Amino acid sequence: SGPLLSTLNGGKGIGTAGSISITNRVGVTTQVDLSGSEGLRDVMDKINNSNSGVTASLNRSRTGIVLQDITGG
């Protein structure tokens, strides 16, 4: 499941999740709406379901997200 967004940034949280732009290596930019996300799993699910050509997974320490471009470009 991963940590709650409210526990990140030294316990200060990250504020209200909005949208982010992800540009893959072939230059396609996708807007991902993160509103309503409560934890890193929510954020990863939204990125992974965005068809951006980029996947998200928890880092080894389970404190952040690793993005990986899978477009092969």
Side-chain angles (χ1 to χ4, degrees):
S1 61
L4 294 175
L5 299 180
S6 61
T7 65
L8 300 177
N9 192 23
K12 298 176 186 171
I14 62 167
T16 303
S19 65
I20 59 170
S21 297
I22 296 176
T23 304
N24 62 31
R25 78 177 86 197
V26 296
V28 176
T29 300
T30 303
Q31 294 291 323
V32 181
D33 182 7
L34 302 178
S35 59
S37 297
E38 293 183 7
L40 286 181
R41 172 60 60 194
D42 298 327
V43 172
M44 291 185 302
D45 287 347
K46 290 179 179 187
I47 292 170
N48 291 336
N49 293 322
S50 70
N51 295 315
S52 64
V54 173
T55 61
S57 59
L58 276 178
N59 65 12
R60 288 183 185 187
S61 61
R62 300 179 54 83
T63 58
I65 296 175
V66 176
L67 300 177
Q68 180 177 5
D69 191 302
I70 57 170
T71 59

